Amino acid sequence: GAKFVHVVYHFARYVMIEDMKKLSVGTGIPFAEAVMRRPEDMYIAKARHRVAYNKLLQILQRQDFVFQEYKQKAR
């Protein structure tokens, strides 16, 4: 449901940030610090969050649809 998608989205974001921290060590490029900063325009940030969240939801729904189709064809 919606709570599961919310948890998956936040987990994916956390993994991405941790990966960026690991990859940016020693490069002199502060990617991770930029991601963790609060944006100046919260409206734009919330809109981007909604777009990313909705895209993830669409992908998960499409994947579930494909799985259901495979199950029906396998019968």
Side-chain angles (χ1 to χ4, degrees):
K3 287 184 180 182
F4 176 74
V5 171
H6 184 73
V7 169
V8 169
Y9 173 79
H10 281 285
F11 178 70
R13 184 177 186 276
Y14 170 78
V15 169
M16 178 198 68
I17 290 171
E18 291 301 314
D19 192 45
M20 287 174 59
K21 283 180 185 178
K22 187 173 27 172
L23 293 175
S24 66
V25 170
T27 62
I29 303 171
F31 285 122
E33 290 80 9
V35 170
M36 296 306 291
R37 268 193 211 144
R38 303 275 302 165
E40 295 175 13
D41 188 357
M42 285 303 292
Y43 177 77
I44 298 293
K46 287 180 180 180
R48 287 181 179 157
H49 176 268
R50 279 191 309 271
V51 168
Y53 185 83
N54 288 335
K55 186 68 174 175
L56 176 64
L57 182 60
Q58 288 174 355
I59 290 168
L60 292 174
Q61 286 174 337
R62 188 177 317 126
Q63 183 180 17
D64 184 53
F65 176 76
V66 168
F67 286 154
Q68 294 297 326
E69 289 292 313
Y70 282 139
K71 283 182 184 178
Q72 286 179 355
K73 290 180 181 180
R75 291 182 188 176

